[in-house]
Amino acid sequence: MVFQVELSQQKQEIVDLSDKLKSTQQGYSTTVATSFLQTSFNQKQDSLFKDSHTLESVGQTEGEYSIMSNKNRGQKMMLKIIQDPITNIKKQKEIIKREITQWQDEFLKKEGRPPSINDKQSISTKFYQYTILKKQLNDRSTVIQDSTDCKNMHHRYINLQEQMKQKTNEIKRLSLSESESVLQSKTIEQFRQNKRYQLKVAQIARFNLQMIFNFDNCFNQQSTQKDVYEEIQQSLQAIFHGYNLCIFAYGQTGSGKTYTMFGTKQQPGVIPNLIEDIYAYIKRNNLDCSIIVNSLEIYKENIIDLLNDQQGSLSLELKENASGQVFVQNLTNIKVQNMYELMNLIEFASSKRRQSLTEMNDSSSRSHMCTQLVIETFNKITQQKFISRVNLIDLAGSERCNKSRLKQNQLEEAKYINKSLSALNDVMIALSTKSSFIPYRNSKLTYLMREFLGGNSKTIMIINISPSFINLDESMSSLQYGQKVKQITNQPIKNLEPVEQLKKLQKVCNQHDENTQLRQQK
Ligand SMILES: Nc1ncnc2c1ncn2[C@@H]1O[C@H](COP(=O)(O)OP(=O)(O)OP(=O)(O)O)[C@@H](O)[C@H]1O
């Protein structure tokens, strides 16, 4: 049974509550009572009761009790215990959970396999209702424990995930040996460790995410930067076989995108880990490689070169080359000699990126940052040259202007950020619904990312979400966004040097001529 506690200061009668409450049943959670006091009442009342012994023995009976604080003797307070509508919410939540479990069991029995993400769409509203009810319970600061059957389901799901992971790895290994392959976009989700909202951490969310969204992987507060990078490491080999790779971090402002992509000196993120691995791979395999880097930010729909201090009047425009690749005209490209030079250049670029303090993040990125590595690999054995482009994108975060308490200029920035993210959303929807028209040109971001969304690239999306229930709406929308991306299928193909492509074409033509000759002879 759950109770709501109400306090009023107007009552005359003073009774020592500890005597009265000692006789009531023990076992009522102290946490519930104290957390109500901490969250529901103003500071003044709060301080009166925080350490009061009387709270520990609050009974399970409804009624009014006059109490005297242990700390402030003489204060007249009334404690009113009434049953809370929360009990109803709990019941509703249990019903929905039972319905979901039943649906899953029936599906398994009927189809002989667990439901896929598409199958789950049909009851997505149930999953949504379930999450909302959990949120409502949490908003009342009530500690909800997952029931045992929930935990069992969780274990079952983990097993299935493990099997799926093994199968995916197998497919990846096979696809590397083929010249052309079709790989699904990859979606990883990561929680940020949120100090500000530590109080209300979503302990259950990881389970829910795996249930509903079926992402390739899911990391929580206990996961390290290395854990996240390991997921990306699996794509390292592809870079040296001529495949394009794009890694981008998406999420609400302050959810940890920059932390995931760049990290800190002690906890390096995806980019430094990947660079270190690229150089280690080159050394280990004694490869003949050259690496060129460029870096830009899209700030208020303008492209800014982050590797050129003297950009001056040079306008950076998005253009298409003869083979339809989008590139930025006049952007600085630097050929690097070693890993340290590359790391320094990226650090320099990132230090020039626009950041500012908002209510949601002390150093909020106000632009989208895109860093590109062009890696040319010469295979001495096959005498082939591959060109791969690795794109590392840290998007600016979506934000609610009132929540972030933005200043005038920041409002303007947020308008551009939200507009380009919404253009990105439109592209995702069009791609996932296989629309005949994809609105890539609606923003510079989507035009620049054209190849990585539905094109010739292996693409990994990292969704960062906040562990706080305060941000549940934003987290839900980020996750749904990720779900759309998961449905997009890219067509990564090996990028051979133009000469190699000509040779390949020549080979096909020769073959064709030979066949014609043979047919004529017959
Ligand atoms: N997993 C984590 N572990 C520890 N600290 C983290 C983690 N994720 C984020 N942080 C910290 O939270 C704060 C906000 O993170 P970060 O700047 O990366 O968010 P963001 O999503 O890039 O925000 P914005 O979109 O506003 O730029 C930073 O101080 C960062 O160090």
Side-chain angles (χ1 to χ4, degrees), residues 192-193 252-259 361 363-365 397:
R192 60 157 290 195
Q193 281 175 4
Q252 177 196 7
T253 180
S255 56
K257 298 178 293 296
T258 309
Y259 181 85
N361 188 357
S363 52
S364 175
S365 310

Side-chain angles (χ1 to χ4, degrees), residues 190-195 220-221 223-225 250-261 263-264 267 353-356 358 360-367 394-399 417 464:
Q190 190 187 17
F191 282 105
R192 60 157 290 195
Q193 281 175 4
N194 192 326
K195 288 193 192 108
N220 66 7
Q221 293 95 322
S223 311
T224 63
Q225 297 272 60
Y250 176 88
Q252 177 196 7
T253 180
S255 56
K257 298 178 293 296
T258 309
Y259 181 85
T260 307
M261 292 303 279
T264 59
Q267 301 292 326
R353 184 188 187 187
R354 270 156 236 254
Q355 292 187 325
S356 63
T358 69
M360 299 290 286
N361 188 357
D362 295 347
S363 52
S364 175
S365 310
R366 314 307 296 161
S367 64
D394 178 16
L395 294 176
S398 53
E399 58 194 334
I417 294 171
N464 289 79

Side-chain angles (χ1 to χ4, degrees), residues 19 106 120 189 208-209 216 285 288 297 318 360 480:
D19 273 341
E106 277 169 11
K120 279 182 201 160
E189 173 281 330
N208 274 351
L209 290 176
D216 292 283
N285 294 284
D288 187 356
E297 69 174 338
L318 285 169
M360 299 290 286
Q480 280 158 356

Side-chain angles (χ1 to χ4, degrees), residues 22-279:
K22 251 177 214 161
S23 58
T24 62
Q25 263 183 298
Q26 295 294 314
Y28 178 67
S29 163
T30 321
T31 330
V32 177
T34 38
S35 64
F36 264 111
L37 287 173
Q38 281 170 2
T39 56
S40 310
F41 303 104
N42 67 38
Q43 270 326 102
K44 223 162 134 202
Q45 289 166 327
D46 204 10
S47 60
L48 286 174
F49 290 96
K50 238 176 188 167
D51 299 319
S52 172
H53 295 303
T54 52
L55 281 173
E56 285 178 11
S57 47
V58 168
Q60 297 195 359
T61 341
E62 280 196 73
E64 286 195 352
Y65 303 96
S66 175
I67 59 167
M68 190 166 65
S69 159
N70 292 354
K71 262 186 170 179
N72 302 279
R73 287 201 164 268
Q75 288 275 356
K76 299 174 192 176
M77 299 289 288
M78 264 324 267
L79 178 69
K80 191 176 161 195
I81 301 179
I82 50 166
Q83 195 162 358
D84 190 278
I86 210 161
T87 320
N88 283 338
I89 301 177
K90 265 184 151 182
K91 272 186 201 148
Q92 279 179 42
K93 191 193 109 216
E94 285 310 315
I95 292 170
I96 291 190
K97 195 165 81 183
R98 257 202 309 277
E99 282 173 11
I100 293 174
T101 320
Q102 203 181 339
W103 178 82
Q104 287 186 318
D105 288 346
E106 277 169 11
F107 189 97
L108 193 68
K109 228 187 269 167
K110 200 166 138 212
E111 304 286 334
R113 62 171 175 87
S116 74
I117 187 136
N118 287 338
D119 302 323
K120 279 182 201 160
Q121 293 279 7
S122 62
I123 60 155
S124 63
T125 38
K126 286 262 176 274
F127 282 112
Y128 189 68
Q129 278 169 1
Y130 183 71
T131 317
I132 294 297
L133 289 170
K134 281 212 167 186
K135 176 180 181 277
Q136 285 175 1
L137 289 172
N138 211 66
D139 282 348
R140 286 167 166 81
S141 303
T142 309
V143 181
I144 307 291
Q145 294 291 332
D146 270 344
S147 61
T148 349
D149 61 301
C150 216
K151 280 184 192 141
N152 289 341
M153 245 159 68
H154 174 59
H155 286 308
R156 230 170 64 197
Y157 209 81
I158 292 277
N159 281 340
L160 287 171
Q161 279 254 319
E162 193 50 47
Q163 283 174 22
M164 228 176 77
K165 210 172 154 186
Q166 281 171 7
K167 286 233 161 71
T168 319
N169 283 342
E170 222 171 275
I171 292 166
K172 269 181 219 150
R173 264 202 307 280
L174 287 173
S175 70
L176 267 181
S177 60
E178 288 179 6
S179 61
E180 291 193 3
S181 60
V182 179
L183 295 175
Q184 269 248 313
S185 319
K186 191 170 202 169
T187 344
I188 303 173
E189 173 281 330
Q190 190 187 17
F191 282 105
R192 60 157 290 195
Q193 281 175 4
N194 192 326
K195 288 193 192 108
R196 200 173 297 180
Y197 301 124
Q198 205 88 53
L199 261 178
K200 292 183 175 182
V201 168
Q203 300 294 359
I204 46 151
R206 191 174 174 192
F207 157 65
N208 274 351
L209 290 176
Q210 287 173 333
M211 286 269 294
I212 306 168
F213 296 99
N214 205 359
F215 291 135
D216 292 283
N217 216 328
C218 180
F219 301 94
N220 66 7
Q221 293 95 322
Q222 276 76 46
S223 311
T224 63
Q225 297 272 60
K226 278 271 172 225
D227 294 333
V228 178
Y229 176 67
E230 266 170 31
E231 186 66 36
I232 281 148
Q233 201 175 27
Q234 298 165 14
S235 307
L236 181 74
Q237 229 185 335
I239 300 173
F240 298 97
H241 287 78
Y243 291 99
N244 291 338
L245 174 67
C246 173
I247 304 166
F248 72 101
Y250 176 88
Q252 177 196 7
T253 180
S255 56
K257 298 178 293 296
T258 309
Y259 181 85
T260 307
M261 292 303 279
F262 292 89
T264 59
K265 280 259 173 299
Q266 296 74 31
Q267 301 292 326
V270 166
I271 296 179
N273 274 308
L274 182 68
I275 290 176
E276 209 178 304
D277 248 12
I278 285 177
Y279 277 93

